[in-house]
Amino acid sequence: MKRRIRMLGWIMVSVLAAGASAGGDSGAVNAALKQVSKATKGLRGVVAEVEWDEIIGKRSINGSGTLYVNFAGVIRVDIEGDTPTTVIFSPPFLHIHRKTDQVVEIYDVTSNPHRLGQYLMLGFVPSGSALKKRFNVQLVEDAELDGRAVLNFLMTPKSKDTARAIARIQLWVDPGTGLPAQHEVVHASGESQLAVRYLSMSRDDELPATLFQPKWPAGTKTIRK
């Protein structure tokens, strides 16, 4: 996984060199997004085992864990490893709980477009039209991941403010399930990057609301930004 995130800066070059190309054909993009939306229609919740690799300036969060998605727009990730962390995104607030430091950072994403965790929900595409309102979406032709065909979306923000923070988002999607196989977000500076690899997925339409509530152990320091 660490090797994979170091590849982020040139991953599109390697894709193009392999003979695939990113195209802006609106018909192909719309058809692919429609395919994803159709595959996930009716989903209310998903649980996934993931590998997480994030660089945040001079800090990093690396490890494996469990990701929970409520298709109402809320997401939680519990990451174990050298830097055990819980991330909860309940718009407009992104909570990052660093267990070892006993600190939770709370970001209002409307004024913090550079925080990468807020873009996780883009991996679960309930509506292609909603996605295209916020991003320029291209489709990488003949894309593969681990030897299997995938839909590979390359997205750049339409908002100038967001574009100053985020260079691109790349999303590999299983065409059968409509669910993500890999998700990468690259900060405009190149100093912060997030790569999430989805190892397994299971449907769970009964995820409790309490799972997504930001409750932390006593003594946890809260920092609002």
Side-chain angles (χ1 to χ4, degrees), residues 89 91-94 106-116 118-119 159 161-162 164-165 187 224-225:
F89 180 46
F93 296 107
L94 178 69
I106 304 175
Y107 297 87
D108 183 337
V109 300
T110 57
S111 54
N112 288 278
H114 61 288
R115 302 307 307 187
L116 306 185
Q118 66 186 284
Y119 302 101
S159 161
D161 287 341
T162 306
R164 280 192 286 267
H187 192 276
R224 296 184 180 271
K225 298 187 178 183

Side-chain angles (χ1 to χ4, degrees), residues 13 18 21 41 46 59 119 121 139 180 184 193 199 203 219:
V13 175
S21 60
K41 185 177 180 179
V46 167
R59 281 191 329 188
Y119 302 101
M121 199 66 204
L139 187 65
E184 296 177 346
Q193 304 173 353
L199 306 179
R203 178 172 180 154

Side-chain angles (χ1 to χ4, degrees), residues 51-74:
E51 287 181 348
W52 181 284
D53 205 332
E54 184 175 9
I55 297 171
I56 315 161
K58 295 182 179 180
R59 281 191 329 188
S60 64
I61 302 173
N62 306 298
S64 59
T66 306
L67 180 146
Y68 307 88
V69 177
N70 179 325
F71 273 66
V74 187

Side-chain angles (χ1 to χ4, degrees), residues 68-86:
Y68 307 88
V69 177
N70 179 325
F71 273 66
V74 187
I75 199 163
R76 173 184 180 130
V77 193
D78 294 316
I79 307 153
E80 301 302 328
D82 295 338
T83 50
T85 305
T86 292

Side-chain angles (χ1 to χ4, degrees), residues 4-67:
R4 188 179 304 119
I5 199 165
R6 287 197 296 269
M7 294 168 62
L8 287 176
W10 52 272
I11 192 162
M12 279 308 299
V13 175
S14 63
V15 168
L16 294 171
S21 60
D25 185 321
S26 60
V29 171
N30 290 338
L33 290 173
K34 185 177 180 179
Q35 180 180 352
V36 172
S37 299
K38 183 178 180 179
T40 58
K41 185 177 180 179
L43 273 179
R44 291 169 51 196
V46 167
V47 179
E49 298 305 312
V50 300
E51 287 181 348
W52 181 284
D53 205 332
E54 184 175 9
I55 297 171
I56 315 161
K58 295 182 179 180
R59 281 191 329 188
S60 64
I61 302 173
N62 306 298
S64 59
T66 306
L67 180 146

